[in-house]
Amino acid sequence: LQTDAPVISNLEFRVYPNPSQGYFYVKAPADQPYSVEVYSMQGNLIYKKDALGTSAHQIACIAGNYAVIIRCGKHVESHMLMVGNPR
């Protein structure tokens, strides 16, 4: 098996704080480029951004649950994000 794609193993991204107030961070395991997508529970894309390393993200949304999808090459992770009402 031959491939030109770089091999990235044991990637684990962290999404915090969770629950949040609509502002969250993605902690990356290495300086690899990746993308962050946030979907409503109805499946609507509400946010998308390319990132590198640990990055901050702010989404304009109502309180509720959201799916955060992180893509790094062929590696894909999903995280649930709870967003509370602003204080």
Side-chain angles (χ1 to χ4, degrees):
L1 178 66
Q2 292 181 334
T3 180
D4 293 333
V7 176
I8 303 170
S9 62
N10 297 327
L11 286 181
E12 289 185 23
F13 292 83
R14 189 169 149 234
V15 175
Y16 66 96
N18 195 4
S20 81
Q21 301 303 317
Y23 189 86
F24 66 96
Y25 293 91
V26 174
K27 172 83 171 150
D31 287 336
Q32 295 288 331
Y34 60 93
S35 67
V36 177
E37 300 168 3
V38 179
Y39 291 87
S40 69
M41 290 293 98
Q42 292 76 29
N44 298 317
L45 177 66
I46 62 169
Y47 177 86
K48 183 174 182 176
K49 183 177 180 184
D50 292 329
L52 178 67
T54 298
S55 57
H57 304 274
Q58 187 167 8
I59 54 174
C61 60
I62 60 174
N65 296 315
Y66 296 86
V68 178
I69 307 298
I70 300 169
R71 300 176 194 277
C72 183
K74 292 184 179 183
H75 178 85
V76 179
E77 285 188 20
S78 63
H79 299 260
M80 294 304 298
L81 178 68
M82 289 178 36
V83 176
N85 291 318
R87 293 180 185 191

Coordinates of all heavy atoms in Angstrom, one line a residue:
L1 N 0.9 -1.2 0.0 CA 0.0 0.0 0.0 C 0.9 1.2 0.0 O 1.7 1.4 0.9 CB -0.9 0.0 1.2 CG -1.8 1.2 1.4 CD1 -2.8 1.2 0.3 CD2 -2.5 1.1 2.8
Q2 N 0.7 2.1 -1.0 CA 1.5 3.3 -1.1 C 0.5 4.5 -1.0 O -0.6 4.5 -1.6 CB 2.3 3.4 -2.3 CG 3.4 2.4 -2.3 CD 4.2 2.5 -3.6 OE1 3.7 2.9 -4.7 NE2 5.5 2.1 -3.6
T3 N 0.9 5.6 -0.4 CA 0.1 6.8 -0.3 C 1.0 8.0 -0.3 O 2.1 7.9 0.3 CB -0.9 6.8 0.9 OG1 -1.6 8.0 0.8 CG2 -0.1 6.6 2.2
D4 N 0.6 9.1 -0.8 CA 1.3 10.3 -0.7 C 0.9 11.2 0.5 O 1.5 12.2 0.8 CB 1.2 11.2 -2.0 CG 1.8 10.5 -3.2 OD1 2.8 9.7 -2.9 OD2 1.4 10.7 -4.3
A5 N -0.2 10.8 1.1 CA -0.7 11.5 2.2 C 0.1 11.3 3.5 O 0.6 10.2 3.7 CB -2.2 11.1 2.5
P6 N 0.4 12.4 4.3 CA 1.1 12.2 5.5 C 0.4 11.3 6.5 O -0.8 11.4 6.5 CB 1.3 13.6 6.0 CG 0.2 14.4 5.4 CD -0.1 13.7 4.1
V7 N 1.1 10.6 7.2 CA 0.5 9.7 8.3 C 0.4 10.5 9.5 O 1.4 11.0 10.0 CB 1.3 8.4 8.5 CG1 0.8 7.6 9.6 CG2 1.4 7.6 7.2
I8 N -0.8 10.6 10.1 CA -1.0 11.3 11.3 C -1.7 10.3 12.2 O -2.8 9.8 11.9 CB -1.9 12.5 11.2 CG1 -1.3 13.5 10.2 CG2 -2.1 13.2 12.5 CD1 -2.2 14.6 9.7
S9 N -1.1 10.0 13.4 CA -1.6 8.9 14.2 C -2.0 9.5 15.6 O -1.4 10.4 16.0 CB -0.7 7.7 14.3 OG 0.5 8.2 14.9
N10 N -2.9 8.9 16.2 CA -3.3 9.2 17.6 C -3.7 10.6 17.8 O -3.3 11.2 18.8 CB -2.2 8.8 18.6 CG -2.0 7.3 18.5 OD1 -2.9 6.5 18.3 ND2 -0.7 6.9 18.7
L11 N -4.4 11.2 16.9 CA -4.8 12.6 17.0 C -5.9 12.7 18.0 O -6.9 11.9 17.9 CB -5.2 13.2 15.7 CG -4.1 13.6 14.7 CD1 -4.7 14.2 13.5 CD2 -3.1 14.6 15.3
E12 N -5.9 13.6 18.9 CA -7.0 13.9 19.8 C -7.1 15.4 20.0 O -6.1 16.0 20.5 CB -6.8 13.2 21.2 CG -6.9 11.7 21.1 CD -6.8 11.0 22.4 OE1 -7.1 11.7 23.4 OE2 -6.5 9.8 22.5
F13 N -8.2 15.9 19.6 CA -8.5 17.3 19.8 C -9.3 17.5 21.0 O -10.1 16.6 21.4 CB -9.2 17.9 18.6 CG -8.3 17.9 17.4 CD1 -8.1 16.8 16.6 CD2 -7.6 19.1 17.0 CE1 -7.3 16.8 15.4 CE2 -6.8 19.1 15.9 CZ -6.6 18.0 15.1
R14 N -9.2 18.6 21.7 CA -10.0 18.9 22.9 C -10.8 20.2 22.7 O -10.3 21.2 22.2 CB -9.1 19.0 24.1 CG -9.8 19.1 25.4 CD -8.9 19.0 26.6 NE -9.5 19.8 27.6 CZ -8.9 20.8 28.3 NH1 -7.6 21.1 28.0 NH2 -9.5 21.4 29.2
V15 N -12.1 20.1 23.0 CA -13.0 21.3 22.8 C -13.4 21.7 24.2 O -13.9 20.9 25.0 CB -14.2 20.9 22.0 CG1 -15.2 22.1 22.0 CG2 -13.9 20.5 20.6
Y16 N -13.1 23.0 24.6 CA -13.3 23.5 25.9 C -13.5 25.0 25.9 O -13.1 25.6 25.0 CB -12.2 23.1 26.9 CG -10.9 23.8 26.5 CD1 -10.5 25.0 27.2 CD2 -10.0 23.3 25.5 CE1 -9.3 25.6 26.9 CE2 -8.8 24.0 25.2 CZ -8.5 25.1 25.9 OH -7.3 25.8 25.5
P17 N -14.2 25.6 26.9 CA -14.9 25.0 28.0 C -16.2 24.3 27.5 O -16.7 24.8 26.4 CB -15.2 26.1 28.9 CG -15.3 27.3 28.1 CD -14.3 27.1 26.9
N18 N -16.7 23.4 28.2 CA -17.9 22.7 27.8 C -18.6 22.3 29.1 O -18.1 21.4 29.8 CB -17.5 21.5 26.9 CG -18.7 20.9 26.2 OD1 -19.8 21.5 26.3 ND2 -18.5 19.8 25.5
P19 N -19.7 23.0 29.4 CA -20.5 23.9 28.6 C -19.8 25.2 28.4 O -19.0 25.6 29.2 CB -21.8 24.0 29.3 CG -21.5 23.6 30.7 CD -20.4 22.7 30.7
S20 N -20.2 25.9 27.3 CA -19.6 27.3 27.1 C -20.8 28.3 26.9 O -21.9 28.0 27.0 CB -18.8 27.2 25.8 OG -19.7 27.3 24.6
Q21 N -20.4 29.5 26.7 CA -21.3 30.6 26.4 C -21.3 31.0 25.0 O -21.6 32.2 24.6 CB -21.0 31.8 27.4 CG -21.0 31.5 28.8 CD -22.4 30.9 29.3 OE1 -23.4 31.4 28.9 NE2 -22.4 29.9 30.1
G22 N -20.8 30.1 24.1 CA -20.7 30.4 22.7 C -19.3 30.7 22.2 O -19.1 30.9 21.0
Y23 N -18.4 30.7 23.1 CA -17.0 31.0 22.8 C -16.2 29.7 23.3 O -16.3 29.3 24.5 CB -16.5 32.2 23.6 CG -15.1 32.7 23.2 CD1 -15.0 33.5 22.1 CD2 -14.0 32.3 23.9 CE1 -13.7 33.9 21.7 CE2 -12.7 32.7 23.5 CZ -12.6 33.5 22.4 OH -11.4 34.0 22.1
F24 N -15.5 29.1 22.4 CA -14.8 27.9 22.8 C -13.4 27.8 22.2 O -13.1 28.5 21.2 CB -15.6 26.6 22.5 CG -15.8 26.4 21.1 CD1 -15.0 25.5 20.4 CD2 -16.9 27.0 20.4 CE1 -15.2 25.3 19.0 CE2 -17.1 26.8 19.0 CZ -16.3 25.9 18.3
Y25 N -12.6 26.9 22.7 CA -11.2 26.7 22.2 C -11.1 25.3 21.6 O -11.8 24.4 22.1 CB -10.2 26.9 23.3 CG -10.0 28.3 23.8 CD1 -10.8 28.7 24.8 CD2 -9.1 29.2 23.1 CE1 -10.6 30.0 25.3 CE2 -9.0 30.5 23.6 CZ -9.7 30.9 24.7 OH -9.6 32.2 25.1
V26 N -10.3 25.1 20.7 CA -9.9 23.8 20.2 C -8.4 23.6 20.5 O -7.6 24.4 20.0 CB -10.2 23.6 18.7 CG1 -9.7 22.2 18.2 CG2 -11.7 23.7 18.4
K27 N -8.1 22.6 21.3 CA -6.7 22.3 21.6 C -6.3 21.2 20.7 O -6.9 20.1 20.6 CB -6.6 21.8 23.1 CG -5.3 21.3 23.5 CD -4.3 22.4 23.8 CE -3.1 21.8 24.4 NZ -1.9 22.5 24.2
A28 N -5.3 21.5 19.9 CA -4.8 20.6 18.9 C -3.5 19.9 19.4 O -2.8 20.4 20.2 CB -4.4 21.3 17.6
P29 N -3.3 18.6 19.1 CA -2.2 17.9 19.6 C -0.9 18.3 18.9 O 0.2 18.0 19.5 CB -2.5 16.4 19.2 CG -3.4 16.5 18.1 CD -4.2 17.8 18.2
A30 N -0.9 18.9 17.8 CA 0.3 19.3 17.1 C 0.0 20.4 16.1 O -1.1 20.8 15.9 CB 0.9 18.1 16.3
D31 N 1.0 21.0 15.6 CA 0.8 22.1 14.6 C 0.4 21.5 13.2 O 1.1 21.7 12.3 CB 2.1 23.0 14.5 CG 2.2 23.8 15.7 OD1 1.2 24.1 16.4 OD2 3.4 24.2 16.0
Q32 N -0.7 20.9 13.2 CA -1.3 20.4 11.9 C -2.5 21.3 11.5 O -3.3 21.7 12.4 CB -1.8 18.9 12.2 CG -0.7 17.9 12.5 CD 0.1 17.6 11.3 OE1 -0.3 17.7 10.1 NE2 1.4 17.3 11.5
P33 N -2.6 21.6 10.3 CA -3.8 22.3 9.8 C -5.0 21.5 10.0 O -5.0 20.3 9.7 CB -3.5 22.7 8.4 CG -2.5 21.7 7.9 CD -1.7 21.3 9.2
Y34 N -6.1 22.1 10.4 CA -7.4 21.4 10.5 C -8.5 22.3 10.3 O -8.3 23.5 10.3 CB -7.5 20.7 11.9 CG -7.4 21.6 13.1 CD1 -8.5 22.1 13.7 CD2 -6.2 22.0 13.6 CE1 -8.5 23.0 14.7 CE2 -6.1 22.8 14.7 CZ -7.2 23.3 15.2 OH -7.2 24.2 16.3
S35 N -9.7 21.8 10.2 CA -10.9 22.7 10.1 C -11.9 22.3 11.2 O -11.9 21.2 11.7 CB -11.6 22.5 8.7 OG -12.1 21.2 8.6
V36 N -12.6 23.3 11.6 CA -13.6 23.2 12.7 C -15.0 23.6 12.0 O -15.1 24.6 11.4 CB -13.3 24.2 13.8 CG1 -14.4 24.1 14.9 CG2 -12.0 23.9 14.4
E37 N -15.9 22.7 12.2 CA -17.3 22.9 11.8 C -18.2 22.7 13.0 O -18.0 21.8 13.8 CB -17.7 22.0 10.7 CG -16.8 22.0 9.5 CD -17.0 20.8 8.5 OE1 -17.9 20.0 8.8 OE2 -16.3 20.8 7.5
V38 N -19.2 23.6 13.1 CA -20.2 23.5 14.1 C -21.6 23.4 13.5 O -22.0 24.2 12.6 CB -20.2 24.7 15.1 CG1 -21.3 24.6 16.2 CG2 -18.8 24.9 15.7
Y39 N -22.3 22.3 13.9 CA -23.6 22.0 13.4 C -24.7 22.1 14.5 O -24.4 21.7 15.6 CB -23.7 20.6 12.7 CG -22.9 20.5 11.5 CD1 -21.5 20.2 11.5 CD2 -23.4 20.7 10.2 CE1 -20.7 20.1 10.4 CE2 -22.7 20.6 9.1 CZ -21.3 20.3 9.2 OH -20.6 20.2 8.0
S40 N -25.9 22.6 14.1 CA -27.0 22.5 15.0 C -27.5 21.1 15.1 O -27.1 20.2 14.2 CB -28.1 23.4 14.5 OG -28.7 22.9 13.3
M41 N -28.3 20.8 16.0 CA -28.9 19.4 16.1 C -29.8 19.1 15.0 O -30.1 17.9 14.7 CB -29.6 19.2 17.5 CG -28.7 19.2 18.7 SD -27.6 17.7 18.7 CE -26.1 18.4 18.0
Q42 N -30.2 20.1 14.2 CA -31.0 19.9 13.0 C -30.1 19.6 11.8 O -30.6 19.4 10.7 CB -31.9 21.1 12.7 CG -33.0 21.3 13.8 CD -32.5 21.9 15.1 OE1 -31.5 22.6 15.1 NE2 -33.1 21.6 16.2
G43 N -28.8 19.7 12.0 CA -27.9 19.4 10.9 C -27.5 20.6 10.1 O -26.8 20.5 9.0
N44 N -27.8 21.8 10.5 CA -27.4 23.0 9.8 C -26.0 23.4 10.2 O -25.7 23.6 11.4 CB -28.4 24.2 10.1 CG -29.8 23.8 9.7 OD1 -30.0 23.3 8.6 ND2 -30.8 24.1 10.5
L45 N -25.2 23.7 9.2 CA -23.8 24.2 9.4 C -24.0 25.7 9.9 O -24.5 26.5 9.2 CB -23.0 24.1 8.2 CG -21.6 24.7 8.3 CD1 -20.7 23.9 9.2 CD2 -20.9 24.8 6.9
I46 N -23.5 26.0 11.1 CA -23.6 27.4 11.6 C -22.2 28.1 11.7 O -22.2 29.3 11.9 CB -24.3 27.5 12.9 CG1 -23.6 26.7 14.0 CG2 -25.8 27.0 12.8 CD1 -24.2 27.0 15.4
Y47 N -21.1 27.3 11.5 CA -19.8 27.9 11.7 C -18.8 27.0 11.0 O -18.9 25.8 11.1 CB -19.5 28.0 13.2 CG -18.1 28.6 13.5 CD1 -17.8 29.9 13.5 CD2 -17.0 27.7 13.7 CE1 -16.6 30.4 13.8 CE2 -15.8 28.2 14.0 CZ -15.5 29.5 14.0 OH -14.3 30.0 14.3
K48 N -17.8 27.6 10.3 CA -16.7 26.8 9.7 C -15.5 27.7 9.7 O -15.6 28.9 9.3 CB -17.1 26.3 8.3 CG -16.0 25.5 7.7 CD -16.4 24.9 6.4 CE -15.3 24.0 5.9 NZ -15.7 23.3 4.7
K49 N -14.3 27.1 10.1 CA -13.1 27.9 10.1 C -11.9 26.9 9.9 O -11.9 25.8 10.5 CB -12.9 28.7 11.3 CG -11.7 29.6 11.4 CD -11.7 30.4 12.6 CE -10.4 31.3 12.6 NZ -10.3 32.0 13.8
D50 N -10.9 27.3 9.2 CA -9.6 26.6 9.1 C -8.8 27.1 10.2 O -8.8 28.3 10.6 CB -9.0 26.8 7.8 CG -9.7 26.1 6.6 OD1 -10.4 25.1 6.9 OD2 -9.7 26.6 5.5
A51 N -8.0 26.2 10.8 CA -7.1 26.6 12.0 C -5.8 25.8 12.0 O -5.6 24.9 11.2 CB -7.9 26.3 13.3
L52 N -4.9 26.2 12.9 CA -3.6 25.6 13.0 C -3.3 25.7 14.5 O -3.3 26.8 15.1 CB -2.6 26.3 12.2 CG -1.2 25.8 12.3 CD1 -1.1 24.3 11.7 CD2 -0.2 26.7 11.6
G53 N -2.9 24.6 15.2 CA -2.6 24.7 16.6 C -3.8 25.0 17.4 O -4.9 24.9 17.0
T54 N -3.6 25.4 18.7 CA -4.7 25.7 19.5 C -5.3 27.0 19.0 O -4.6 27.9 18.7 CB -4.2 25.9 21.0 OG1 -3.7 24.6 21.4 CG2 -5.4 26.3 21.9
S55 N -6.7 27.0 18.9 CA -7.3 28.2 18.3 C -8.6 28.5 19.0 O -9.2 27.6 19.6 CB -7.6 27.9 16.8 OG -8.4 26.7 16.7
A56 N -9.0 29.7 19.0 CA -10.2 30.2 19.6 C -11.3 30.3 18.6 O -11.1 30.7 17.4 CB -10.0 31.5 20.3
H57 N -12.6 30.1 19.0 CA -13.7 30.1 18.0 C -14.9 30.7 18.8 O -15.1 30.5 20.0 CB -14.1 28.8 17.5 CG -12.9 28.1 16.9 ND1 -12.6 28.2 15.6 CD2 -12.0 27.2 17.4 CE1 -11.5 27.5 15.3 NE2 -11.1 26.9 16.4
Q58 N -15.6 31.6 18.1 CA -16.8 32.1 18.7 C -18.0 31.9 17.7 O -17.9 32.2 16.5 CB -16.7 33.6 19.0 CG -17.9 34.2 19.7 CD -17.6 35.6 20.3 OE1 -16.5 36.2 20.0 NE2 -18.5 36.1 21.1
I59 N -19.1 31.3 18.3 CA -20.2 31.1 17.4 C -21.4 31.9 17.9 O -21.6 32.1 19.1 CB -20.6 29.6 17.4 CG1 -20.8 29.0 18.8 CG2 -19.5 28.8 16.6 CD1 -21.3 27.6 18.8
A60 N -22.2 32.4 17.0 CA -23.4 33.2 17.4 C -24.5 32.2 17.3 O -24.9 31.7 16.3 CB -23.6 34.3 16.4
C61 N -25.0 31.8 18.5 CA -26.1 30.8 18.5 C -26.9 30.9 19.8 O -26.5 31.6 20.7 CB -25.4 29.4 18.5 SG -24.3 29.1 19.9
I62 N -28.0 30.3 19.8 CA -28.8 30.2 21.0 C -28.4 29.1 21.9 O -27.6 28.2 21.5 CB -30.3 30.1 20.6 CG1 -30.5 28.8 19.9 CG2 -30.8 31.3 19.8 CD1 -32.0 28.5 19.6
A63 N -28.8 29.1 23.1 CA -28.4 28.0 24.1 C -28.9 26.7 23.5 O -30.0 26.6 23.0 CB -29.0 28.3 25.4
G64 N -28.1 25.7 23.7 CA -28.5 24.4 23.2 C -27.3 23.5 23.0 O -26.2 23.8 23.4
N65 N -27.5 22.4 22.3 CA -26.5 21.4 22.0 C -26.0 21.5 20.5 O -26.9 21.7 19.7 CB -26.9 20.0 22.3 CG -27.2 19.8 23.8 OD1 -26.5 20.3 24.6 ND2 -28.4 19.2 24.1
Y66 N -24.7 21.4 20.3 CA -24.2 21.5 19.0 C -23.1 20.4 18.8 O -22.5 19.9 19.7 CB -23.5 22.9 18.8 CG -24.5 24.0 18.9 CD1 -24.9 24.5 20.1 CD2 -25.2 24.4 17.7 CE1 -25.9 25.5 20.2 CE2 -26.1 25.4 17.8 CZ -26.5 26.0 19.0 OH -27.4 26.9 19.1
A67 N -23.0 20.0 17.5 CA -21.9 19.1 17.1 C -20.7 19.8 16.6 O -20.9 20.7 15.7 CB -22.5 18.1 16.1
V68 N -19.6 19.6 17.1 CA -18.3 20.2 16.6 C -17.6 19.1 15.9 O -17.2 18.0 16.4 CB -17.5 20.7 17.8 CG1 -16.2 21.3 17.2 CG2 -18.2 21.8 18.5
I69 N -17.3 19.3 14.6 CA -16.6 18.3 13.7 C -15.2 18.9 13.4 O -15.1 20.0 13.0 CB -17.3 18.0 12.4 CG1 -18.8 17.6 12.7 CG2 -16.6 17.0 11.6 CD1 -19.0 16.4 13.5
I70 N -14.2 18.1 13.7 CA -12.8 18.6 13.5 C -12.2 17.6 12.4 O -12.3 16.4 12.6 CB -12.0 18.5 14.7 CG1 -12.6 19.5 15.8 CG2 -10.5 18.9 14.4 CD1 -12.0 19.4 17.1
R71 N -11.7 18.2 11.3 CA -11.1 17.4 10.2 C -9.7 17.8 10.1 O -9.3 19.0 10.0 CB -11.9 17.7 8.9 CG -13.3 17.4 9.0 CD -14.0 17.8 7.6 NE -15.4 17.8 7.8 CZ -16.2 16.7 7.7 NH1 -15.7 15.5 7.4 NH2 -17.5 16.8 7.8
C72 N -8.8 16.7 10.1 CA -7.4 16.9 9.9 C -6.9 15.8 8.9 O -6.7 14.7 9.3 CB -6.7 16.8 11.2 SG -4.9 17.1 11.1
G73 N -6.8 16.2 7.7 CA -6.5 15.2 6.6 C -7.7 14.2 6.6 O -8.8 14.6 6.5
K74 N -7.4 13.0 6.7 CA -8.4 11.9 6.7 C -9.0 11.6 8.1 O -9.9 10.9 8.2 CB -7.9 10.6 6.1 CG -7.6 10.8 4.6 CD -7.1 9.5 4.0 CE -6.9 9.7 2.5 NZ -6.5 8.4 1.8
H75 N -8.4 12.3 9.1 CA -8.8 12.1 10.5 C -10.0 13.0 10.7 O -10.0 14.2 10.4 CB -7.7 12.4 11.4 CG -8.0 12.3 12.9 ND1 -8.0 11.1 13.5 CD2 -8.5 13.2 13.7 CE1 -8.4 11.3 14.8 NE2 -8.6 12.6 14.9
V76 N -11.1 12.4 11.3 CA -12.3 13.2 11.6 C -12.7 12.9 13.1 O -12.7 11.7 13.5 CB -13.5 12.9 10.7 CG1 -14.7 13.7 11.1 CG2 -13.1 13.2 9.3
E77 N -12.9 13.9 13.9 CA -13.4 13.7 15.2 C -14.7 14.5 15.4 O -14.9 15.6 14.8 CB -12.4 14.3 16.3 CG -11.2 13.4 16.5 CD -10.4 13.9 17.6 OE1 -10.9 14.6 18.5 OE2 -9.2 13.5 17.7
S78 N -15.6 14.0 16.2 CA -16.8 14.8 16.6 C -16.9 14.9 18.1 O -16.5 14.1 18.8 CB -18.1 14.0 16.0 OG -18.2 12.8 16.7
H79 N -17.4 16.1 18.5 CA -17.5 16.5 19.9 C -18.9 17.1 20.1 O -19.3 17.8 19.2 CB -16.4 17.4 20.3 CG -15.0 16.9 20.2 ND1 -14.3 16.4 21.2 CD2 -14.2 16.8 19.1 CE1 -13.1 16.0 20.8 NE2 -13.1 16.3 19.5
M80 N -19.5 16.9 21.2 CA -20.7 17.6 21.5 C -20.4 18.8 22.3 O -19.5 18.8 23.2 CB -21.7 16.7 22.3 CG -22.2 15.5 21.5 SD -23.0 16.0 20.0 CE -24.4 16.9 20.6
L81 N -21.0 20.0 22.0 CA -20.8 21.2 22.7 C -22.1 21.7 23.3 O -23.1 21.9 22.5 CB -20.2 22.3 21.8 CG -19.9 23.6 22.4 CD1 -18.8 23.6 23.4 CD2 -19.5 24.6 21.3
M82 N -22.2 22.0 24.6 CA -23.3 22.6 25.2 C -23.1 24.0 25.3 O -22.1 24.5 25.8 CB -23.6 22.0 26.6 CG -24.1 20.5 26.5 SD -24.3 19.8 28.2 CE -24.9 21.1 29.2
V83 N -24.0 24.8 24.9 CA -24.0 26.3 25.0 C -25.1 26.8 25.9 O -26.2 26.4 25.6 CB -24.1 27.0 23.6 CG1 -24.1 28.5 23.7 CG2 -22.9 26.5 22.7
G84 N -24.7 27.5 26.9 CA -25.7 28.0 27.9 C -26.0 29.4 27.6 O -25.5 30.1 26.6
N85 N -27.0 30.0 28.3 CA -27.4 31.4 28.2 C -26.3 32.3 28.7 O -25.6 31.9 29.7 CB -28.7 31.7 28.9 CG -29.8 31.0 28.3 OD1 -29.9 31.0 27.1 ND2 -30.7 30.4 29.1
P86 N -26.0 33.4 28.0 CA -25.0 34.3 28.5 C -25.3 34.8 29.9 O -26.5 35.0 30.3 CB -25.0 35.5 27.5 CG -25.8 35.0 26.4 CD -26.6 33.9 26.8
R87 N -24.3 35.1 30.7 CA -24.5 35.5 32.1 C -24.6 37.0 32.1 O -24.1 37.8 31.4 CB -23.4 35.1 33.0 CG -23.5 33.6 33.1 CD -22.4 33.1 34.0 NE -22.4 31.6 34.0 CZ -21.8 30.9 34.8 NH1 -21.0 31.4 35.7 NH2 -21.9 29.6 34.7

